[in-house]
Amino acid sequence: DTAVSQTPKYLVTQMGNDKSIKCEQNLGHDTMYWYKQDSKKFLKIMFSYNNKELIINETVPNRFSPKSPDKAHLNLHINSLELGDSAVYFCASSQASSGANVLTFGAGSRLTVL
Amino acid sequence: AQSVTQLGSHVSVSEGALVLLRCNYSSSVPPYLFWYVQYPNQGLQLLLKYTSAATLVKGINGFEAEFKKSETSFHLTKPSAHMSDAAEYFCAVSVLPSYGKLTFGQGTILTVHP
């Protein structure tokens, strides 16, 4: 039973296309995140949703639009893809009320923009 | 704002030798500190966390880390390396109420030689 699952695992697409990555967690957590890991393995937060409400938006271009239909899902839609968007995108979740900020990460979605 | 510096992007040890991965942090308020491990093509897995309780924290797979406020350090150690420890290790910091906004270090790749 995967705790945080992301689909697709691999995504190869052309510049200018629009694509989505889906994330689901079955941990009952109230907070979900998207992190981006670039080619140098540097990890940086993009978005965070708590109970479906956007609480962190780290100066990400508005071509990136997260959507949280319910507490268990956080999808990432990317418009007009650029070469620089190539990265591994990690979804994560946590229970904010626990106070310890312990995140559970998914396995990642590797996006390659050609 | 908080930051994390991991000294040494690559560390190589022999099987059975001591593992020491260095992490220094910067934070103006009491931090929460974490070590995550990433195996090839996988997501991040929590090794251990410091959340203002005991300064010596024990984690999974025989790893431990000590929070030293005077040195602003949170180094990761393991007395005896195993081949299966070969992976990339990330130190991360967060402060409340950050809702899971982890600031990661650059990562340290651990290689274990037979």
Side-chain angles (χ1 to χ4, degrees), chain A residues 33 35 37 41 99-101 103, chain B residues 32 36 88 94 98-100 102:
Chain A
Y33 314 81
Y35 276 78
Q37 187 175 45
K41 296 291 191 74
N101 293 356
L103 273 62
Chain B
Y32 286 178
Y36 281 85
E88 187 155 15
S94 73
S98 72
Y99 287 104
L102 296 176

Side-chain angles (χ1 to χ4, degrees), chain B residues 4-98:
Chain B
V4 172
T5 301
Q6 291 182 238
L7 299 173
S9 58
H10 289 81
V11 170
S12 181
V13 300
S14 298
E15 193 172 18
L18 171 72
V19 175
L20 171 60
L21 304 182
R22 299 178 187 273
C23 172
N24 287 89
Y25 71 91
S26 171
S27 174
S28 57
V29 297
Y32 286 178
L33 293 159
F34 307 82
W35 276 100
Y36 281 85
V37 60
Q38 185 178 26
Y39 297 101
N41 299 314
Q42 294 187 28
L44 285 82
Q45 179 183 3
L46 180 69
L47 272 179
L48 48 79
K49 64 181 187 290
Y50 166 76
T51 57
S52 74
T55 56
L56 182 61
V57 180
K58 294 188 185 299
I60 61 172
N61 301 337
F63 283 93
E64 63 181 37
E66 186 172 8
F67 172 70
K68 292 188 176 180
K69 184 178 178 181
S70 59
E71 299 177 8
T72 60
S73 69
F74 191 58
H75 302 332
L76 182 71
T77 60
K78 182 174 180 178
S80 177
H82 192 273
M83 298 295 289
S84 61
D85 295 328
E88 187 155 15
Y89 292 79
F90 292 90
C91 183
V93 63
S94 73
V95 298
L96 288 179
S98 72

Side-chain angles (χ1 to χ4, degrees), chain A residues 7-46:
Chain A
T7 53
K9 190 171 175 64
Y10 298 97
L11 187 54
V12 181
T13 188
Q14 301 285 334
M15 278 177 55
N17 285 349
D18 303 338
K19 290 293 176 187
S20 293
I21 306 172
K22 295 186 176 182
C23 179
E24 176 182 6
Q25 55 96 3
N26 63 6
L27 298 167
H29 288 165
D30 59 6
T31 307
M32 295 186 72
Y33 314 81
W34 279 108
Y35 276 78
K36 179 181 179 180
Q37 187 175 45
D38 64 22
S39 57
K40 296 183 179 178
K41 296 291 191 74
F42 183 62
L43 272 153
K44 188 171 165 58
I45 192 168
M46 300 174 69

Side-chain angles (χ1 to χ4, degrees), chain A residues 76-90:
Chain A
L76 182 65
H77 187 76
I78 315 170
N79 289 327
S80 303
L81 279 156
E82 300 178 355
L83 293 176
D85 297 332
S86 295
V88 181
Y89 293 85
F90 286 100

Side-chain angles (χ1 to χ4, degrees), chain A residues 25 29-34 45-57 64-71 73-76 92-94 96, chain B residues 99:
Chain A
Q25 55 96 3
H29 288 165
D30 59 6
T31 307
M32 295 186 72
Y33 314 81
W34 279 108
I45 192 168
M46 300 174 69
F47 300 102
S48 173
Y49 272 73
N50 176 261
N51 286 316
K52 302 194 302 174
E53 183 180 342
L54 179 67
I55 53 173
I56 294 176
N57 182 343
F64 290 78
S65 52
K67 284 188 171 51
S68 181
D70 54 56
K71 286 197 312 183
H73 295 84
L74 180 61
N75 303 322
L76 182 65
S93 71
S94 72
Chain B
Y99 287 104

